[in-house]
Amino acid sequence: MPPHEYGDLPVHKMAPGEFNFQYGPSTGGLMESVGITLTTPGELINSVAVDFSFKSRKLNLRGKSIRDALLTVERINGFHAASNSLAFLMSVEDALGMEVSEEVQKARILQLELERIRSHLEVIKRLCEPAGFGVPVNQLGYLREKISRIISRAAGHRFFFGANAPGYCSVSGSGINEKLREAGKEFQRIYAGLLESKIFLNRLQNNGLTRDNFLTGPAARASGLRYDSRIDSATLPYGDTPFYPVIREEKDCFGRFNVRGEEILNSIDIIASLGNIKETGKPSLQEGDGQGCARLESPQGDIFYYAGLNNGLIEDIWHVSPGTLNIRAFQESMKGNIFTDFHFNWESFGIWISEVGVVFQ
Amino acid sequence: MSNFWFGEGIRKGRKTEKFPFAQPDDPPARPSGLEGSGEPYCPTEAIKNGKWDQGKCIFCRLCEPEYQPTGRQDIFSVKKTEPALKKSFYIYKLDSGTCGACNVELGTIFDPQFDANRLNIFATNSPRHADAIVIMGILAEGMREALKNAYEAMPEPKLIIALGACAISGGILGDSPMVREDYHVEIAGCPPSPYTILEALARARGD
Ligand code: SF4
Ligand code: SF4
């Protein structure tokens, strides 16, 4: 969605003595292209505006078959492709009134939790980068690549592309648990080291305090909110797994780091409880009419899809990305911080611009 | 605490693989080379008249089983090399409209398994210090100006590298930022695997 559609994003009025500092849209310092304007009288940051319209992509989905639309949906946010494609497919299945087997739903949990582990590792790695923490940066990068290889073997693609269809999943969990246990032990050592590092913790604590409850995902749970769509998922059987919502009260970068660290370990336990996941269901061309919606917990928060189908073709579609809420929360949380806090705070929200700046046509 | 991390660094030992001086340790099935015959449905027309265009392929599997992945990671093309860049090769990444996955895979070549720095390949945050621009993603209208500015800011000689199906051909999502003739290097994949990226960059500076 382009920014003018976010009418409620707060606009800062420049005060005497303030000037704007422009960062981006293209800079090697950030993962994606995004424009950031910091308003400051010198040291303190009085306001931050995030402009995600630079890389806003217009994607054709209307009039496409479910199969062809899925190819595009997978590429809305490639790093969170499982979350996007599964939320989309679940909305399609809802529209068509399809019954989906428990095996397929479990295979979906496997994908979502693998994606969460990798995404959280990436965020924690990026939190270590501005601290100049070379050893954990490398070790977390090493672990993240290990998870990518586990995903590649399980799903036939490092980002789950092509692994799903309505009522179908081609992911196999064979041999995963041993590798994940090993990765979990490695992560625990790094995590314990980071929790002992005063220099690192100083950069996170009291940095980026959230100010209200317009939050989702780890940012919400780090602010004391018991908000996680896995708690009350109507379709995904999280109730049969050791899932528990990780809640912290700090409201700052440290809280968000802490929630992610604990969730990595919980995701490994969730996957271990799923049993032997094999390729399940049969991919088939789906036709029919209807309207459906679905939500699930992506690594950055609650993701929602609506799909309207006409004769098996996409008539209408929209989604709500967790980044929408979290960008707003990030902007608010930067007020009163200084520039050196910026990178830590930005990374701690784990926002993906690709997903926010997308327009469906 | 600093002793802890020092010890951790030593304890883990060397994790870097021998690639590209040896075969990849763990190549993904997708993306990789594709072999087969016939004219199966292909959403990007990467298969036409029995020929496979790797730069158009998004590795979606819809042509399987007629076509099958080979596991080969050398799915790139290099039209121009710059041997002068062998000792230090600085790349500037430009996201002109990605889904994010190309960005992640480009970053992965600096992780310990691949360690691009050992091949004298480095990332720079400024186009003024860059020997090559690595363009990723389709052309989002808002990035047109940034792409032009970055390109003009780079000193000569400069290499123009397209990373991923979107940048090379538009893939399935839109228009590519440049025409294919203008690229010196094309790195296929959606997204390209780190093995492919690393070898393509090494070859671009004449290895
Ligand atoms: S994998 Fe997909 S894009 Fe590539 S040739 Fe096959 S059908 Fe076409
Ligand atoms: S080539 Fe594929 S992975 Fe890369 S940006 Fe485009 S859709 Fe994403």
Side-chain angles (χ1 to χ4, degrees), chain B residues 13-24:
Chain B
R14 188 183 161 89
K15 295 289 185 190
T16 306
E17 298 170 9
K18 293 213 168 72
F19 184 84
F21 308 110
Q23 289 302 310

Side-chain angles (χ1 to χ4, degrees), chain A residues 33 144 153 155 158 189, chain B residues 8 26 61 95 105 111:
Chain A
S33 293
R144 190 205 55 193
R153 294 216 167 241
R158 286 163 62 89
R189 234 184 125 82
Chain B
E8 279 299 281
D26 199 351
R61 318 183 197 191
D95 166 0
E105 295 297 57
D111 284 342

Side-chain angles (χ1 to χ4, degrees), chain A residues 71 75, chain B residues 30 34 40-48 51-54 56-64 67 172:
Chain A
L71 298 176
R75 289 159 179 82
Chain B
R30 299 174 199 83
L34 211 59
Y41 171 70
C42 171
T44 61
E45 298 188 341
I47 297 174
K48 227 178 178 180
K51 282 213 175 103
W52 177 60
D53 181 345
Q54 61 191 31
K56 284 188 173 176
C57 184
I58 57 165
F59 302 87
C60 66
R61 318 183 197 191
L62 293 183
C63 58
E64 296 178 19
Y67 280 71
I172 197 167

